[in-house]
Amino acid sequence: MQGGSKGIGYGLKYQARCIADVKADTETTTFITGTLSLKEENEVHLIKLSSSETELICEGLFSHPNEIWDLASCPFDPRIFSTVFSSGESYGAAIWKIPELYGQSNSPQLEELASLDQHTSKIKRILWWPSGSHDKVISIDEENLLLWSFDSSNKTTQVESRESVGMLHSLSGGAWDPHDRNALAATSDSSIQFWDLRTMKKTNTIEHAHVRDVDYSIKKQNILVSAEDETGICIWDMRMPNVPMRELPGHAHWTWAVRSNPEYDNLILSAGTDSAVNLWLAPISNSGDSTTESSADSPTRRIDPLLNSYSDYEDSVYGLTWSSRQPWIFASLSYDGRVVVESVKSFLPKKTYMVQLLSVRLQW
């Protein structure tokens, strides 16, 4: 199904590549994004969805000293986030804290809590454990994995362990398993590598060319989704990693980002350099799982896994995130600095959506 966007837009001043859900904000649906300008002073935007869900409001606008290549929000403190940035040929990474806003959108400078300055090659990604409070942070550069202990109160970080991945691989990113704080999936140009953080040793490898992104299923253990140039989107059961359990076509050009929904395990988002965001329905059944929905209420009877393609972007879409607070909402970011927030309510099973909506209202 093809369709134009009916989403809510927000424009950044400069080009941009990364956006994140502020998971720790339990009161409003909030996103954080940063720009990628070579010549101008870069900006971090804290934006929230209005209570009427009709506009995006800038809650805070902060200057950032360098081009932002990666940005991640702390899962247990809504004012803390990390960035990977570049200045010329040099790359760095830091953890920042947003100052108290006191109702003002233009606020004081960001506070740098810690610099992750032990890298010897190009930094690619900072990972927070996605399921609540945890005092560890992972940083990934092209040749190494570093596990840090982070003390936000004392504003300190310390490398606990590090491991080189070897000269045959060049790491590009990864995902931290939400079901196991000792498990990490790292992407390289030719494989997905699985690491045990207790020993900092590889436990398994999936050889696949041009892996761009990976994401774990939050609802189901052992399920991983990958985005790849040639294959498109692959869904893996880590207990049987020799072949993917399901494959989706991907995008007309590079499939750059993939995200599993935090609540509805069958829903997957992908974004690509073909200037599109695709919404997929890919039913996943682990061995021993039981189906809770009747076949009449379940959308799994659809033949075409592509529920919708949001295709009215004017540039490549690199940034993609679901809202953890309202999991029927996602935000995307195209390279020209355009943020779009969309709702997928119309694609959810009615019964499932009403149960989730009631749960959110009770949290309010």
Side-chain angles (χ1 to χ4, degrees):
M1 179 186 298
Q2 302 295 317
S5 171
K6 296 181 181 178
I8 305 164
Y10 177 92
L12 305 181
K13 193 174 181 181
Y14 309 118
Q15 295 172 326
R17 296 177 69 101
C18 44
I19 189 169
D21 171 47
V22 183
K23 183 182 296 187
D25 187 345
T26 58
E27 296 182 355
T28 58
T29 298
T30 308
F31 303 100
I32 188 168
T33 182
T35 62
L36 188 72
S37 173
L38 179 62
K39 297 180 179 180
E40 306 295 335
E41 186 172 32
N42 284 281
E43 299 173 341
V44 171
H45 292 243
L46 186 67
I47 53 180
K48 76 170 184 178
L49 183 63
S50 66
S51 57
S52 62
E53 299 185 12
T54 58
E55 63 177 329
L56 290 169
I57 302 168
C58 181
E59 283 286 282
L61 178 61
F62 313 94
S63 62
H64 187 280
N66 305 107
E67 304 168 69
I68 301 172
W69 289 88
D70 174 69
L71 183 149
S73 181
C74 172
F76 56 84
D77 189 326
R79 294 171 57 199
I80 294 177
F81 67 98
S82 60
T83 61
V84 172
F85 48 85
S86 68
S87 176
E89 294 297 319
S90 63
Y91 276 72
I95 297 175
W96 309 86
K97 188 169 186 178
I98 295 171
E100 291 287 356
L101 300 178
Y102 302 111
Q104 298 178 356
S105 60
N106 292 320
S107 53
Q109 293 289 319
L110 294 169
E111 179 185 0
E112 183 176 331
L113 294 182
S115 175
L116 307 182
D117 55 3
Q118 298 298 310
H119 286 270
T120 56
S121 63
K122 185 176 179 180
I123 308 174
K124 307 296 287 190
R125 189 71 56 87
I126 303 297
L127 300 177
W128 302 80
W129 194 55
S131 301
S133 182
H134 188 34
D135 63 349
K136 302 295 187 293
V137 176
I138 296 171
S139 58
I140 300 173
D141 66 35
E142 290 182 330
E143 300 176 3
N144 304 278
L145 296 173
L146 278 72
L147 180 66
W148 304 74
S149 60
F150 169 54
D151 186 336
S152 59
S153 299
N154 293 322
K155 306 176 185 178
T156 59
T157 55
Q158 182 176 352
V159 175
E160 287 200 353
S161 54
R162 65 184 299 157
E163 183 62 35
S164 171
V165 299
M167 298 298 293
L168 297 179
H169 298 280
S170 177
L171 293 184
S172 58
W176 204 334
D177 189 340
H179 308 283
D180 183 354
R181 64 178 61 191
N182 295 311
L184 169 75
T187 59
S188 76
D189 50 2
S190 60
S191 67
I192 306 172
Q193 303 176 10
F194 299 91
W195 292 77
D196 187 331
L197 297 176
R198 292 166 296 189
T199 61
M200 294 300 280
K201 301 297 181 184
K202 273 192 293 187
T203 58
N204 206 350
T205 301
I206 296 175
E207 297 295 340
H208 253 238
H210 306 298
V211 180
R212 294 283 178 179
D213 196 23
V214 291
D215 193 34
Y216 281 97
S217 169
I218 295 178
K219 299 296 288 184
K220 290 183 179 291
Q221 295 187 30
N222 303 306
I223 301 300
L224 185 80
V225 183
S226 63
E228 306 167 20
D229 285 357
E230 298 176 0
T231 312
I233 299 167
C234 293
I235 303 173
W236 305 88
D237 186 332
M238 300 321 304
R239 297 164 296 183
M240 300 175 289
N242 292 332
V243 294
M245 61 186 297
R246 182 146 191 192
E247 293 178 285
L248 302 173
H251 288 252
H253 200 240
W254 295 336
T255 305
W256 194 271
V258 64
R259 295 290 180 268
S260 295
N261 188 279
E263 182 62 32
Y264 311 110
D265 56 276
N266 293 335
L267 286 181
I268 296 171
L269 282 173
S270 65
T273 53
D274 59 353
S275 306
V277 173
N278 289 341
L279 175 66
W280 304 92
L281 179 70
I284 304 168
S285 59
N286 284 350
S287 177
D289 283 354
S290 60
T291 302
T292 58
E293 297 176 320
S294 70
S295 59
D297 293 334
S298 173
T300 60
R301 295 174 64 88
R302 295 178 184 265
I303 297 175
D304 187 355
L306 180 61
L307 293 179
N308 197 38
S309 183
Y310 305 88
S311 55
D312 65 342
Y313 299 89
E314 296 182 0
D315 212 332
S316 300
V317 182
Y318 294 117
L320 192 62
T321 183
W322 288 103
S323 165
S324 56
R325 181 175 174 273
Q326 294 180 285
W328 54 87
I329 287 174
F330 73 87
S332 57
L333 174 67
S334 52
Y335 187 61
D336 56 3
R338 182 180 178 223
V339 177
V340 179
V341 169
E342 299 270 5
S343 170
V344 302
K345 288 179 185 177
S346 60
F347 300 104
L348 298 179
K350 184 176 180 181
K351 179 180 176 181
T352 304
Y353 167 64
M354 291 306 295
V355 170
Q356 180 64 28
L357 181 61
L358 177 61
S359 174
V360 170
R361 285 180 174 173
L362 288 175
Q363 292 176 14
W364 290 352

